[in-house]
Each structure stands twice: as structure tokens, then as C-alpha cells.
Amino acid sequence: MNILIMGPAGSGKGTMSEKILELYDIPHISTGDMLRENVRNNTELGIKAKEYMDAGHLVPDDVINAMVEKRLQEPDCEKGYLLDGYPRTLVQAETFAEISDRVQKPIEAVIALEVGFEELEKRITGRRICPKCGAIYHVNGHMGNKYGYCDVCGTELVQRRDDTVEQLKVRMDEYEASTKPVIDYYSGKGLVHKIDASVPADEVFAQVKEVLGKVA
Ligand code: ADP
Ligand code: AMP
């Protein structure tokens, strides 16, 4: 299965991805997670990306495209992919059309999560993540079986540097200007499934499951 999951910051892409992986044996490729790992490890790519990420801006297309192309050549992508947070610009979408052609893995479904700003603000400011494995938590929801520590790997949870109201506004502007056109681009190809993601996660997942069940 070859899936893209799209939506503004905080719409639940990572949360739904964790659940989609229970259905399909495919790798979850989150460009945000990959970049954060590079920042943590102080790689050349991470050093380049950090200032954009901290400000809530998009990292330049060439950096992202090269990173995704390399990742898709890894053996676990033989089975397909769940791409989270990519493509985010029309340039990325056009480059991805070439990449997916080359690896002969055409997109089968684009899941577009839709949530209003007020709800996004609550989700973003309360989000906590595991800095090691990327697992997602929320201060008003589950915060780990041992409060504040990751259930998967035991690491202390942290707040992302860009999870502030100010950065959310910048990210929303980037989304409207650069990423909405990508959804229109895929709509034109008949690939987009819009999902009301403002409801509780289990209800969002029920919708996602129904859509994917019809595609597979
Ligand atoms: P994204 O990957 O799109 O930025 P996340 O999956 O990280 O979004 O979700 C953002 C925050 O909102 C997390 O703290 C998560 O626990 C919470 N969350 C995700 N989906 C829902 C939902 N349907 N209802 C309430 N909170 C949610
Ligand atoms: P995310 O984890 O998806 O919220 O992404 C966090 C940050 O990483 C974004 O605000 C961008 O700075 C950067 N980023 C992630 N994916 C992309 C992408 N496809 N294109 C450009 N920047 C990205």
C-alpha cells in the first residue's frame, strides 16, 4: 500500500499513522521525524534544517526531496510507504511524481485530515513527544503509563520547540500558501479522501480505515 497522509500541524497525522501501521506492514516515513533525528544527531542536514524548523518555516525543497528519495530506496519500502508530512509544496509533489515513478510505487491514496484552528491550538500546545522514538502524547490525554515517560522506550517526554501558538500561526500560513495547493493537485488526480479529523482519534481512525478498505 502506498499512502500519503496530509493535514495541518496538529491535525493528527502522526497519531493516525501509528494506527494505520496496525493495518499494513509498511514503513512510516515522517519527514518531520527524520529532520528532528538529524537535528538531534547534529548532522550536516540537521544543522541546515534547524533554523527553518525552529521558526516554523518549511525546509528547502531540495534538502527534503533528496532525503525522501534516499529513504525510499531502503529495502523496507519494497512493501510500500506511509508518507507523513510530505510532499508539502508543489515542487515536492512534482519531484515525488518522478521519484514514485522511478521506484514504481504510485500513490494509491491521499488522506487529508481537516481540523479548525482553535482545536489545532489545543492539540499543539498540549502535545508532548518522546524525543527518542517519536511516540505522541498529550497533557490532556495519555501521558504515559508512568506519567511523563514514553510507554515504548521509557524516555522522558518533551515539548517540541516549534509547538507554540506563534509558530503554529507561521506553520498554518505556510500550510495555506504552500500545502493546500498540493491537496488540490492530488484532488485533480482523484486521489484525495478528506476526513473530519476534529473528532476523537478513534472516530477519525474509523473513517480512515473505511477509506483505505475501499482502496486496498
Ligand atoms: P500531526 O502529526 O498532524 O502534527 P499529532 O498526531 O502529533 O499531529 O497530534 C497532535 C496532538 O493532538 C498530539 O498531542 C495528539 O495526542 C493529539 N491528537 C491527535 N489526534 C487527536 C484527536 N482526534 N483528538 C484529540 N487529540 C488528538
Ligand atoms: P512536522 O513534524 O511534520 O510538523 O514538521 C516539523 C517541521 O519540519 C516543519 O515545520 C518544517 O520546518 C519541517 N518539515 C517537515 N516536513 C517537511 C517538508 N515536507 N517540507 C519542508 N519542511 C518540512
Side-chain angles (χ1 to χ4, degrees), residues 86-106:
Y86 176 92
R88 246 151 134 137
T89 66
L90 276 178
V91 172
Q92 291 180 18
E94 281 155 7
T95 305
F96 187 64
E98 291 165 20
I99 297 173
S100 54
D101 261 9
R102 248 194 318 273
V103 296
Q104 298 184 340
K105 294 265 175 306

Side-chain angles (χ1 to χ4, degrees), residues 105-175:
K105 294 265 175 306
I107 300 165
E108 288 166 278
V110 178
I111 303 289
L113 302 179
E114 299 187 321
V115 182
F117 186 82
E118 252 177 60
E119 174 67 15
L120 291 177
E121 197 175 319
K122 286 186 213 147
R123 291 189 190 179
I124 284 291
T125 50
R127 171 161 61 188
R128 299 293 181 271
I129 62 158
C130 171
K132 192 167 172 207
C133 73
I136 304 159
Y137 299 84
H138 197 282
V139 291
N140 296 330
H142 186 58
M143 275 295 282
N145 296 327
K146 180 182 172 194
Y147 189 92
Y149 290 83
C150 181
D151 291 339
V152 183
C153 66
T155 308
E156 193 170 359
L157 306 179
V158 297
Q159 182 165 27
R160 275 171 50 174
R161 294 165 63 93
D162 56 346
D163 274 352
T164 64
V165 179
E166 292 71 33
Q167 261 87 335
L168 174 62
K169 284 183 185 143
V170 178
R171 284 147 81 194
M172 283 305 288
D173 287 346
E174 294 264 22
Y175 187 78

